[in-house]
Amino acid sequence: MFLLKKLYFYLFILVSFSSLINAWFFNDFGNEHTDVFSALNRFKDLEALDSEPIPDTSLPLSEKNEPNKEEVAADLLSTLLNGGLGLPHGLSFLKQVTRQPWWKGPEVCVSKVEQIVNNSQSDVAEKSPFIFLGNAAFSTCRNTLNKYICTNKIYSREETKTTEVIYQCCSGARKNHDTGYCEHVDIKPLDETAKNLGSGEFAKAMDSYIKKSVLETPNMTVFIPSDNAVNMYLQNLPTSYANERVIHAPAGNNSQDDSAENEITSTGDKTEKKPALSGNAITSERALNHFVPGIYNIHDLENEEILKTIDGLTIRINMYHGERKPLITANCALVKSANHPIENGGMLHVTDAILPQITKSIKDILKENSEFKMFNQFAADADLLGKLGEPGNYTVFAVTDAAFNKLSEDMRSKLQKGKSCITTLMKAHIIPRTLCGGAFGKLTVMTRSLSGNWLTIEKTINNTLQVGRDSETTTTDIVASNGVIHVVDHPIVPKSAQPVTSLMANKNHTMWLNLMKKAGFAETADEAMNRTIFVPSEEAIEKAKLDELDDDKLKEVLSLHISDKSVCSCQMKNNLMIPSLVPDEELRVTTYETSGALFVGLDPKIMVQCASIIERDEKACDTMVHEIDKVLTPATDTIIGKIYNDPSLSKLKQLLMNTSLHDELKNGSLGPITLLAPTENAFANLTEEEWKSLEDKNVADELLRRHIVSDVVCCDGVGMSTWPFSEEVNTANGFSMNVRRKSRNSVIFGETTTESCDHLTKDGLIHYVDKVMMPRPISLKGSAVKYIDSNGAEVVLLGL
Ligand SMILES: *[C@@H]1O[C@H](CO)[C@@H](O)[C@H](O)[C@H]1NC(C)=O
Ligand SMILES: *[C@@H]1O[C@H](CO)[C@@H](O)[C@H](O)[C@H]1NC(C)=O
Ligand SMILES: *[C@@H]1O[C@H](CO)[C@@H](O)[C@H](O)[C@H]1NC(C)=O
Ligand SMILES: *[C@@H]1O[C@H](CO)[C@@H](O)[C@H](O)[C@H]1NC(C)=O
Ligand SMILES: *[C@@H]1O[C@H](CO)[C@@H](O)[C@H](O)[C@H]1NC(C)=O
Ligand SMILES: *[C@@H]1O[C@H](CO)[C@@H](O)[C@H](O)[C@H]1NC(C)=O
Ligand SMILES: *[C@@H]1O[C@H](CO)[C@@H](O)[C@H](O)[C@H]1NC(C)=O
Ligand SMILES: *[C@@H]1O[C@H](CO)[C@@H](O)[C@H](O)[C@H]1NC(C)=O
Ligand SMILES: *[C@@H]1O[C@H](CO)[C@@H](O)[C@H](O)[C@H]1NC(C)=O
Ligand SMILES: *[C@@H]1O[C@H](CO)[C@@H](O)[C@H](O)[C@H]1NC(C)=O
């Protein structure tokens, strides 16, 4: 970012670039993916399971009862927030059309929780502005799906008193989602309520097989599958999930203790269709995991919340907010209807499937299933299997061995060689949240897997899930204690999980790949980790005739293009040195702002050893690949060494001798620089007189410093189009110099033009130029002019 730019026509630029800016914004947004789930979760409270009126906007109505302090505060606040006080009198009729809020309506019970915290010294310090004012009170109210909660905080010097007042439907009442108000409901026993909701079958079974004492436990939340779900289950028809077929323990240890009379078996001729592992019957054991001690209004539950059932198993609650109404699942069974009060203070929710029993972790389920041998092995290789055995929230797209075998032999063996390949690949199959099949409605979901790749998932017309481009689920919703498994028919292979040789083949770096093979580099390339490879374009390879090199030379050239450090373009700062595989050879990174970049948000141009990076960050699983437009050449010498060793720079050397610049070049105190080295021909054009003036070492020193640019400026780093921008570089004697491109192969620095560009050295760069820039009046900043007269005296003219 060394090039100083002067922007001359600010207004012109702003006008002409405004359309570009728009395009840029547009593109930026187009490329940005939003994580649907996290984004939508933020709006959780805005969407009701059933539609509910917008929160109240009315002024407080007069109350028969003396309102308590909190209510007054709450009313005042909501009034303020809604701009009620600002309503002109003439418009006061508007107030009459607004409705009474539900939480002031019938069947609403108010409870109050008070908490007093003694203020510690540090609290006092923190809240001091309030304390100085004496007591301070704050009140906030919010409407959730089933509650209206007002929080009142009173600070004083000694204590903070928090009072929470909660309005909700009384037990025995239910929010009517059409009116928005709480309504009294006739509380009936569980079985009767269930029957009225079209879920009588399951309740009937429970009545016969579950102990009365259990059924009559007070304050129980019960998930009841609909009759349809029960029938599907008994007949072993495919439901949206297929837990039973996969989840159950291996034969022999399954439900052995269920006595035969404790089962309702499916009727009729379905027996031969029964799977070997699990007779589809609703046993008492099978039913008990639908009972949760405690009262849980579905709106009070959180996404990924785990409920403990009466038999010690778990129910995982998930909420998906993508569709118009949020979808709520319990162990991946969709909750169809919620919050029905029942006798004994209980609560009933209807689901569209029998809740699977959760006893095992994802790891256990995978390990018990012989279809997932490779998946388990790879997950273990990637150190992920252990994680899948721990508590967490995961969705795993499990790949069967048969599906893994769909990958080419070559790809499989490469995957197995490189640990980071397999890690990226396996991580691409794991999503760090629970996504049940029921979560996918009409929307296409984009979510990030553990590998950081975006995965698109959508429901197909066949009720399966399309995952990425290649994979489709064969079984969904195998629920585990720490998430859910969906089985897919093809591995998910993100680009970044490709071995580097596959990437090169896919990206048409064919010649380079062949050279790597020829030099014996290809075999090890897929196993190496944390590498960067600069791959020259096919044209560049052809031009450099790399195929004509003998093996030793080829190895050296290739080694120069490979680094054992992984460097993305995001890390490439100006003058970063990247070590190469050639001992003591480092690659210099230089960056260049392109004209107008500031305005259109273009990334700066990045060069490596003066070769432009034309394609950045092609990421293989273990290697970063950047395509460049030239074959890299090593930096062979230092600048001073080059001056000594190159006979065509003998005049320059002669001038340099005994100047202080000589020592500074030698000890590197000038930092990375660009030397504009006049050739012998250029010096030949100097007059006698001019030569003579240069015998003075101070004059020579000053002259040579004009030929030193205090940065590394590769010829190709200088932009093609310079108008209306002018690019400037600083010279070692503290002036700035205009730089512009003359033709494809030459650049004009000040008054001189390059004859031969980009001679790389360890400490910078040399361009051979065609002219010595003898001192002439140089315009200074402002209106001063400075020149050195023929006697070597420095003359500064002011006010010209
Ligand atoms: C607060 O302080 C009072 C008196 O200093 C004490 O009785 C009370 O227990 C304290 N409360 C808490 C929550 O620490
Ligand atoms: C049931 O819940 C109600 C209201 O929350 C409570 O008053 C009652 O004590 C609870 N009963 C039992 C047995 O826990
Ligand atoms: C099978 O069940 C028996 C008794 O319920 C138990 O002791 C044994 O550990 C179980 N075996 C497996 C592999 O789970
Ligand atoms: C699962 O997700 C919930 C909600 O985001 C979070 O509170 C919980 O800690 C997570 N569980 C684990 C084991 O990470
Ligand atoms: C749906 O299933 C049918 C029959 O199995 C198959 O031919 C079709 O390709 C599937 N469609 C999709 C979108 O998966
Ligand atoms: C590679 O080359 C083939 C044939 O020349 C072409 O069809 C394909 O699009 C190229 N792929 C890339 C990534 O450039
Ligand atoms: C690769 O890089 C990562 C992160 O920088 C580091 O933790 C790891 O040890 C490196 N691996 C090798 C083989 O150098
Ligand atoms: C540099 O200085 C030394 C001693 O001061 C002198 O002998 C030598 O000739 C000078 N070299 C040049 C090129 O002026
Ligand atoms: C390099 O040489 C110059 C001139 O002799 C001197 O002023 C400077 O301090 C030296 N710098 C270092 C880092 O040695
Ligand atoms: C050098 O001198 C020759 C002959 O006098 C002239 O043709 C040429 O243009 C000059 N070169 C420069 C860079 O001035």
Side-chain angles (χ1 to χ4, degrees), residues 443-733:
L443 294 178
T444 299
V445 169
M446 290 197 77
T447 187
R448 249 187 217 277
S449 64
L450 285 190
S451 66
N453 295 93
W454 288 96
L455 207 52
T456 46
I457 307 167
E458 59 192 341
K459 200 164 226 152
T460 67
I461 49 166
N462 292 348
N463 234 13
T464 61
L465 300 178
Q466 179 73 38
V467 186
R469 222 186 30 209
D470 302 325
S471 313
E472 193 179 332
T473 55
T474 52
T475 306
T476 51
D477 292 346
I478 303 171
V479 188
S481 59
N482 52 355
V484 64
I485 302 170
H486 308 301
V487 182
V488 289
D489 64 354
H490 194 280
I492 301 161
V493 188
K495 284 211 178 78
S496 57
Q498 295 177 93
V500 66
T501 50
S502 306
L503 176 117
M504 286 178 179
N506 295 342
K507 287 277 189 172
N508 285 357
H509 298 312
T510 321
M511 290 169 89
W512 186 257
L513 188 55
N514 289 339
L515 291 173
M516 297 226 348
K517 283 179 184 154
K518 188 173 166 207
F521 279 44
E523 288 86 69
T524 50
D526 289 330
E527 291 161 52
M529 290 175 76
N530 294 357
R531 265 193 174 173
T532 304
I533 304 187
F534 294 99
V535 179
S537 64
E538 301 278 282
E539 294 95 322
I541 294 170
E542 225 163 337
K543 201 167 154 205
K545 298 195 167 56
L546 290 190
D547 52 340
E548 289 170 16
L549 297 179
D550 65 48
D551 282 5
D552 284 346
K553 189 77 190 108
L554 182 62
K555 271 186 188 155
E556 203 182 317
V557 171
L558 293 191
S559 301
L560 187 67
H561 290 72
I562 302 175
S563 173
D564 264 337
K565 260 172 82 173
S566 170
V567 187
C568 63
S569 68
C570 54
Q571 294 166 312
M572 293 191 182
K573 300 280 175 286
N574 199 30
N575 285 317
L576 172 77
M577 301 302 289
I578 301 175
S580 78
L581 291 189
V582 181
D584 300 325
E585 280 298 342
E586 293 190 311
L587 306 175
R588 182 183 297 276
V589 172
T590 46
T591 63
Y592 306 87
E593 282 197 34
T594 42
S595 294
L598 224 56
F599 290 87
V600 291
L602 292 176
D603 289 329
K605 180 171 183 158
I606 301 178
M607 303 185 90
V608 179
Q609 296 289 83
C610 289
S612 300
I613 296 187
I614 48 182
E615 182 90 46
R616 301 173 182 196
D617 301 332
E618 298 171 358
K619 198 172 175 301
C621 53
D622 47 15
T623 304
M624 195 66 89
V625 174
H626 305 287
E627 188 177 346
I628 50 181
D629 68 346
K630 271 185 220 150
V631 172
L632 299 183
T633 50
T636 43
D637 210 335
T638 58
I639 285 179
I640 197 91
K642 262 241 162 69
I643 295 172
Y644 274 77
N645 297 330
D646 189 341
S648 75
L649 297 180
S650 65
K651 287 256 170 37
L652 180 68
K653 177 180 150 198
Q654 189 188 331
L655 273 185
L656 189 64
M657 279 306 194
N658 290 3
T659 61
S660 70
L661 180 64
H662 179 272
D663 296 342
E664 285 173 47
L665 283 178
K666 205 160 181 178
N667 71 16
S669 60
L670 290 172
I673 56 163
T674 304
L675 171 68
L676 306 172
T679 55
E680 299 295 280
N681 282 342
F683 278 113
N685 271 21
L686 293 187
T687 61
E688 286 280 313
E689 204 180 336
E690 281 170 329
W691 257 121
K692 215 159 160 264
S693 73
L694 292 175
E695 276 166 20
D696 181 331
K697 283 296 158 191
N698 289 328
V699 179
D701 187 273
E702 178 69 19
L703 175 77
L704 290 179
R705 280 176 203 271
R706 302 186 75 204
H707 292 77
I708 290 177
V709 175
S710 308
D711 210 323
V712 178
V713 185
C714 301
C715 280
D716 282 353
V718 177
M720 211 53 190
S721 58
T722 52
W723 190 85
F725 296 92
S726 98
E727 293 178 351
E728 293 188 350
V729 292
N730 287 326
T731 59
N733 59 346

Side-chain angles (χ1 to χ4, degrees), residues 83-109:
L85 287 181
L87 214 56
H89 283 297
L91 293 176
S92 58
F93 68 89
L94 279 179
K95 290 182 215 163
Q96 281 147 23
V97 299
T98 58
R99 305 189 318 153
Q100 186 186 24
W102 71 267
W103 47 274
K104 283 187 186 165
E107 298 287 337
V108 172
C109 289

